[in-house]
């Protein structure tokens, strides 16, 4: 396979990783009613080569949440990108269990000059950063908080899910469209039962 082909697969793998933490059984129940937190580390391989590591940690109580994510290229992954990407989403949880982001941080070590802190101003219905702002629709999420809403809708039986999501890299809101496939079993030490969800299409929303 060419370097371009491997690079495309690397990007696809990272897209899949963005969904992994909503798949284990029990996540959606915990997202709705639980408190406390959890963390997980994923090692990404292409064939026999390790290419990256994804660490995620969630803390929450009945009213607030904090979701942290760190993506680190490893081994052959460094050939395509040496950038470390950290994301943090914090916000409130309403009485129905819906997550509503108030602050989102997206930090790419390879682009330190880009805006990295974004504030969801729900009174003004905008996302503010640096000296800019963009309008935000009711029910919008960031890249991390969307996972709670996606998990909720999937467990309620939705076969297609569409969410307005703020992309910290592009600094724009996209309409993420997901399709739900058949349940599968992933053979890992935890023996997880998973639901396959397609990589989202992302037409520009605003």
């Amino acid at each position: 396979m060419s370097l371009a082909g491997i690079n495309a697969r690397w990007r696809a793998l990272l897209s899949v990783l963005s969904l992994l933490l909503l798949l284990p059984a029990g996540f959606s129940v915990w997202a709705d009613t639980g408190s406390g937190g959890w963390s997980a580390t994923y090692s990404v391989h292409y064939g026999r080569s390790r290419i990256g590591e994804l660490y995620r940690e969630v803390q929450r109580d009945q009213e607030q949440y904090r979701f942290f994510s760190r993506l680190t290229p490893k081994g052959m992954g460094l050939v395509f990108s040496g950038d470390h990407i950290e994301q943090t989403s914090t916000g409130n949880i309403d009485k129905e269990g819906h997550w509503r982001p108030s602050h989102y941080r997206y930090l790419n070590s390879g682009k330190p000059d880009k805006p990295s802190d974004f504030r969801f101003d729900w009174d003004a219905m905008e996302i503010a950063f640096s000296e800019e702002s963009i309008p935000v629709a009711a029910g919008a999420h960031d890249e991390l908080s969307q996972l709670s809403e996606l998990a909720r809708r999937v467990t309620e039986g939705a076969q297609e899910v569409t969410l307005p999501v703020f992309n910290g890299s592009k600094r724009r809101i996209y309409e993420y469209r997901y399709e739900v496939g058949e349940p599968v079993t992933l053979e890992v030490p935890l023996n997880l039962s998973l639901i396959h969800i397609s990589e989202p299409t992302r037409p520009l929303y605003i």
Side-chain angles (χ1 to χ4, degrees), residues 150-168:
L150 181 54
R152 173 195 293 275
R153 296 197 193 180
V154 169
T155 56
E156 289 175 348
Q159 294 301 303
E160 295 183 0
V161 178
T162 299
L163 298 171
V165 177
F166 179 74
N167 183 299

Side-chain angles (χ1 to χ4, degrees), residues 79-146:
V79 174
F80 312 111
S81 175
D83 297 353
H84 295 234
I85 297 175
E86 292 191 356
Q87 301 178 72
T88 306
S89 175
T90 57
N92 300 316
I93 303 172
D94 67 20
K95 293 181 179 179
E96 287 71 41
H98 296 282
W99 292 15
R100 194 186 203 194
S102 57
H103 182 265
Y104 175 60
R105 180 174 175 82
Y106 179 94
L107 182 61
N108 185 334
S109 65
K111 300 177 180 178
D113 57 326
K114 298 295 184 181
S116 59
D117 289 287
F118 308 95
R119 183 170 61 89
F120 284 72
D121 186 338
W122 294 107
D123 292 329
M125 295 304 291
E126 65 180 21
I127 299 174
F129 53 96
S130 297
E131 298 179 356
E132 303 178 53
S133 65
I134 61 172
V136 62
H141 286 273
D142 56 54
E143 293 269 358
L144 297 181
S145 68
Q146 65 154 329

Side-chain angles (χ1 to χ4, degrees), residues 6 22-23 29 35 43 47 49 70 92 110 118 120-121 131 133-134 140 149 164 174 179 182 191-192:
I6 296 175
L22 63 89
L23 299 176
V29 175
S35 60
S43 181
S49 301
R70 180 177 60 246
N92 300 316
F118 308 95
F120 284 72
D121 186 338
E131 298 179 356
S133 65
I134 61 172
E149 186 64 22
Y174 291 83
E179 294 184 0
E182 297 297 323
N191 193 30
L192 300 176

Side-chain angles (χ1 to χ4, degrees), residues 15-42:
S15 297
V16 172
L17 280 174
S18 70
L19 300 177
L20 277 175
L21 286 189
L22 63 89
L23 299 176
F27 174 86
S28 58
V29 175
W30 170 84
D32 285 345
T33 62
S35 60
W38 48 258
S39 64
T41 301
Y42 297 89

